[in-house]
């Protein structure tokens, strides 16, 4: 009760014309108190919300952000609004009535290209994310009425300082400095807000939207190829990029790979000349500066996604939340884009040479994915099996070669393919080429376990003639007993 009265007193003070330092102090106290839902109930009114909107510069349509001294007040007001909207259902309803989403987009446009007010952008975006999370109607408003997709994409471009070299290609400076903490936080909030704006877009989107989705995918490719201030922040940034890429229509994900530039092509030619002649397999995917190349296409972003997936597997926990999105994304990319599938097949399922160990034993990406095919979480094991199945062009014989029948049985049973065959999707007819090592070992590979087994000794070879005759008579007697039981059973059935 006392805290609520304190909140009411703070709003009465904020109405008055008081110095900026006093405003900031009042808002800091209000921000702390607004974490308590019980405190918020009596003070969440339209009038009090409008006070905060005014202080956050959300009411002025033409007012520019020129007074640097006001920035701390704007930031603290936005922080208070974030807490209040998150903790109060009344505030959520008032947000709709006050058209808060439109006001937030207007403020974003004012500071879109202003790097020195990242805190304002960050909390504006966080509030926009909360609104679109709590109100599905606001997602539609942001997407269509407020043009949230291009606006938020431009915010990301600004955070990453993107310089375009082509329509959907940006310049990547691998030796450049990492993103600052402020730019990283701003980008993460923009990615989260964009996720809500574009949710279900992969199901329903207009053909006219394809360009905008490709631009966004190109920005996300750039995001995957840069790093944040710390390893944890980089992982958080890439995780949100993966989630957002899952919302992009799969036909627009072709921009994740791009043809080599003239400079990269010349660089690759030099690198290939430097490789020994017996390193033909490596020649397909080697380029200086660690750029991954396949069939003349830059595969850096796909390689980052593959490494991200492997790190999530190695964590060994929270597979459904942390691993499923990136596995689903790679599966859909592989199904729709041949070059991506062939590159991932080359990385995940290279030609088999050593088949002495079971497919699930070892530390390669293939071993890790095969282990997931028998995971206790149904969703995790389904998507892991689906990914490998797509890499095998949905051919049962190819999948069994890499995983063994026992590991693949669940997927094949669900697809009705236990007897063999292939899935419903069409793939190119180029065939895999087996290594000499695999061809020599193939007759002795156990199809169930998927690995090489030494031939079992024949127990009869070590028996004497008397033992063989004794075992043969035992078998004859057993067959005779079975035959008699069958005759008695048939007699009873006929008599009944």
């Amino acid at each position: 009760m006392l805290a609520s009265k304190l909140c009411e007193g703070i709003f009465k003070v904020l109405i008055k014309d008081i110095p900026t330092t006093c405003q900031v102090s009042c808002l800091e106290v209000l921000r702390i108190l607004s974490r308590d839902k019980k405190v918020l109930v009596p003070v969440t009114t339209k009038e009090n919300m409008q006070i905060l909107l005014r202080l956050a510069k959300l009411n002025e349509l033409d007012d520019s952000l020129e007074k640097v001294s006001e920035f701390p007040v704007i930031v603290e007001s936005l922080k208070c609004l974030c807490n209040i909207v998150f903790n109060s259902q009344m505030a959520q309803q008032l947000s709709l009535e006050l058209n808060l989403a439109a006001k937030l987009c207007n403020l974003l446009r004012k500071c879109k290209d202003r790097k020195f007010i990242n805190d304002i952008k960050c909390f504006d975006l966080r509030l926009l994310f909360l609104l679109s999370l709590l109100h599905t109607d606001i997602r539609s408003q942001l997407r269509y009425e407020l043009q949230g997709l291009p606006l938020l994409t431009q915010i990301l471009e600004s955070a990453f300082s993107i310089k375009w070299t082509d329509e959907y290609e940006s310049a990547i400076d691998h030796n450049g400095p990492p993103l600052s903490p402020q730019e990283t936080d701003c980008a993460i909030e923009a990615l989260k807000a964009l996720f809500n704006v574009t949710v279900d877009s992969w199901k329903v989107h207009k053909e006219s939207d394809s360009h905008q989705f490709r631009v966004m995918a190109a920005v996300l490719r750039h995001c995957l190829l840069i790093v944040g201030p710390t390893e944890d922040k980089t992982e958080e940034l890439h995780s949100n990029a993966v989630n957002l890429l899952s919302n992009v229509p799969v036909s627009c994900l072709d921009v994740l790979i791009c043809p080599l530039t003239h400079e990269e092509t010349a660089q690759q030619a030099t690198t290939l000349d430097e490789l020994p002649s017996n390193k033909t397999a490596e020649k397909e995917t080697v380029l200086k500066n660690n750029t991954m190349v396949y069939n003349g296409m830059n595969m850096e972003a796909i390689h980052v996604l593959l490494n991200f997936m492997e790190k999530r597997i190695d964590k060994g926990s929270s597979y459904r939340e942390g691993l499923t999105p990136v596995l689903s994304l790679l599966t859909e990319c592989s199904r729709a884009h041949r070059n991506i599938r062939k590159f991932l097949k080359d990385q995940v399922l290279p030609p088999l040479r050593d088949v002495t160990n079971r497919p699930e034993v070892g530390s390669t990406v293939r071993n890790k994915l095969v282990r997931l095919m028998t995971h206790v979480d149904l969703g995790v094991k389904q998507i892991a099996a689906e990914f490998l199945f797509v890499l095998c062009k949905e051919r049962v014989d190819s999948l069994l070669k890499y995983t063994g029948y026992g590991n693949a049985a669940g997927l094949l049973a669900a697809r009705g393919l236990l007897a063999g065959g292939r899935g419903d999707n069409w793939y190119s007819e180029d065939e895999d080429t087996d290594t000499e090592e695999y061809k020599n070992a193939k007759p002795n590979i156990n199809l169930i376990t998927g690995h090489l087994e030494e031939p079992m000794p024949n127990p009869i070879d070590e028996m004497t003639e008397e033992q063989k005759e004794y075992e043969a008579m035992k078998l004859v007697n057993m067959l005779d007993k079975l035959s008699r039981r069958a005759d008695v059973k048939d007699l009873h059935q006929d008599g009944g």
Side-chain angles (χ1 to χ4, degrees):
M1 197 69 181
L2 184 62
S4 295
K5 287 186 176 179
L6 179 57
C7 281
E8 290 175 356
I10 290 173
F11 277 112
K12 288 177 182 177
V13 172
L14 289 172
I15 284 181
K16 300 175 182 177
D17 185 15
I18 57 175
T20 299
T21 53
C22 293
Q23 287 179 323
V24 172
S25 298
C26 288
L27 289 166
E28 286 175 343
V29 175
L30 182 62
R31 171 168 53 84
I32 295 169
L33 293 172
S34 63
R35 297 170 184 166
D36 189 338
K37 294 182 180 181
K38 294 179 181 178
V39 173
L40 286 176
V41 172
V43 297
T44 304
T45 64
K46 185 175 182 179
E47 292 73 20
N48 289 340
M49 288 281 286
Q50 287 176 323
I51 292 171
L52 291 175
L53 295 183
R54 176 178 57 81
L55 293 171
K57 298 295 181 184
L58 290 171
N59 277 340
E60 293 83 351
L61 294 177
D62 301 319
D63 191 32
S64 59
L65 300 174
E66 298 297 338
K67 295 181 181 178
V68 177
S69 60
E70 294 179 342
F71 289 177
V73 176
I74 298 173
V75 171
E76 284 300 325
S77 300
L78 288 170
K79 289 179 180 178
C80 289
L81 283 168
C82 285
N83 285 352
I84 292 170
V85 168
F86 181 71
N87 288 315
S88 170
Q89 288 188 346
M90 176 60 72
Q92 293 163 22
Q93 292 300 319
L94 287 170
S95 298
L96 291 174
E97 185 179 336
L98 294 167
N99 201 13
L100 182 54
K103 298 178 189 299
L104 289 167
C105 286
N106 184 59
L107 181 60
L108 275 180
R109 290 187 177 93
K110 293 179 190 176
C111 58
K112 184 173 58 180
D113 299 319
R114 308 275 292 281
K115 287 184 174 296
F116 57 90
I117 48 179
N118 273 322
D119 283 344
I120 296 177
K121 284 194 283 190
C122 185
F123 289 103
D124 185 309
L125 289 164
R126 184 171 299 178
L127 187 49
L128 206 57
F129 163 72
L130 286 172
L131 287 175
S132 56
L133 176 69
L134 297 166
H135 283 292
T136 53
D137 291 344
I138 287 181
R139 296 176 195 172
S140 179
Q141 182 192 14
L142 276 169
R143 174 73 185 278
Y144 299 107
E145 180 186 332
L146 301 174
Q147 295 297 298
L149 183 55
L151 173 62
L152 293 171
T153 301
Q154 288 165 10
I155 293 292
L156 278 177
E157 285 184 51
S158 175
F160 298 145
S161 301
I162 288 181
K163 294 179 176 62
W164 295 105
T165 58
D166 205 342
E167 188 176 23
Y168 303 123
E169 292 178 38
S170 60
I172 305 291
D173 183 4
H174 293 285
N175 298 317
L179 285 180
S180 69
Q182 295 79 12
E183 289 168 338
T184 305
D185 288 339
C186 188
I188 288 171
E189 295 300 331
L191 290 168
K192 287 158 60 178
L194 264 171
F195 178 85
N196 287 345
V197 172
T198 59
V199 72
D200 292 335
S201 293
W202 64 277
K203 293 179 182 175
V204 181
H205 73 284
K206 299 176 183 176
E207 191 63 32
S208 57
D209 293 335
S210 293
H211 168 69
Q212 187 58 53
F213 276 114
R214 278 192 163 84
V215 171
M216 187 176 76
V219 172
L220 294 176
R221 178 183 182 274
H222 188 101
C223 176
L224 292 172
L225 300 180
I226 57 178
V227 295
T230 65
E231 188 175 340
D232 287 344
K233 275 296 180 183
T234 300
E235 183 173 351
E236 185 181 358
L237 185 69
H238 289 177
S239 178
N240 281 284
V242 167
N243 292 339
L244 182 51
L245 279 168
S246 301
N247 287 351
V248 176
V250 70
S251 61
C252 299
L253 292 175
D254 55 347
V255 300
L256 290 179
I257 60 176
C258 55
L260 298 184
T261 63
H262 293 301
E263 181 182 358
E264 288 173 332
T265 303
Q267 198 176 73
Q268 185 191 29
T270 304
T271 304
L272 297 185
D273 290 339
E274 293 171 358
L275 284 175
S277 58
N278 62 340
K279 296 288 186 178
T280 53
E282 287 86 340
K283 287 186 178 184
E284 287 297 317
T285 53
V286 170
L287 188 65
K288 287 182 178 178
N289 297 326
N290 296 321
T291 299
M292 301 301 292
V293 175
Y294 192 87
N295 282 349
M297 304 296 286
N298 187 322
M299 293 287 180
E300 279 184 288
I302 304 300
H303 193 246
V304 170
L305 290 173
L306 186 61
N307 287 338
F308 179 85
M309 178 201 72
E310 188 172 6
K311 286 180 183 177
R312 286 296 170 95
I313 295 176
D314 292 342
K315 278 192 170 183
S317 61
S318 303
Y319 281 155
R320 184 172 283 272
E321 297 81 14
L323 177 63
T324 303
V326 66
L327 259 179
S328 299
L329 175 63
L330 289 174
T331 302
E332 292 307 314
C333 283
S334 300
R335 184 177 279 125
H337 301 289
R338 181 172 180 265
N339 273 324
I340 294 178
R341 175 179 57 78
K342 288 175 70 67
F343 170 74
L344 288 172
K345 172 74 180 298
D346 183 67
Q347 297 293 306
V348 177
L349 301 175
L352 284 176
R353 299 185 186 281
D354 181 10
V355 288
T356 55
N357 293 318
R358 290 172 178 256
E360 66 270 23
V361 175
S363 58
T364 66
V365 183
R366 173 177 77 110
N367 302 143
K368 295 172 184 179
L369 287 166
V370 172
R371 285 197 287 272
L372 289 179
M373 293 175 76
T374 54
H375 195 271
V376 292
D377 188 305
L378 183 61
V380 172
K381 77 176 189 177
Q382 282 179 339
I383 190 59
E386 186 77 13
F387 176 52
L388 292 175
F389 195 41
V390 169
L391 292 188
C392 294
K393 297 189 287 189
E394 301 193 21
R395 285 172 41 203
V396 172
D397 57 339
S398 181
L399 180 69
L400 296 181
K401 181 172 80 172
Y402 289 103
T403 68
Y405 199 90
N407 292 312
L411 173 77
L412 300 181
R415 291 289 202 95
L417 294 171
L418 283 172
R422 63 187 305 164
D424 298 329
N425 292 283
W426 181 88
Y427 295 90
S428 58
E429 291 301 325
D430 53 306
E431 296 297 328
D432 298 328
T433 55
D434 293 331
T435 62
E436 287 300 320
E437 295 91 335
Y438 179 77
K439 288 178 181 178
N440 293 334
K442 189 174 181 180
N444 294 320
I445 292 177
N446 185 319
L447 294 179
I448 302 299
T449 61
H451 82 300
L452 182 66
E453 291 185 352
E454 293 299 326
M456 296 294 289
N458 190 341
I460 296 178
D461 293 342
E462 299 179 1
M463 289 184 182
T464 64
E465 292 300 322
E466 290 80 5
Q467 286 175 318
K468 291 178 183 179
E469 186 175 348
Y470 173 74
E471 292 295 333
M473 289 306 299
K474 275 177 64 176
L475 183 59
V476 169
N477 290 333
M478 289 171 65
L479 291 172
D480 183 56
K481 286 181 181 179
L482 287 172
S483 178
R484 290 183 182 184
R485 286 178 185 175
D487 291 342
V488 171
K489 185 177 179 181
D490 290 340
L491 184 62
H492 281 303
Q493 287 176 346
D494 293 340

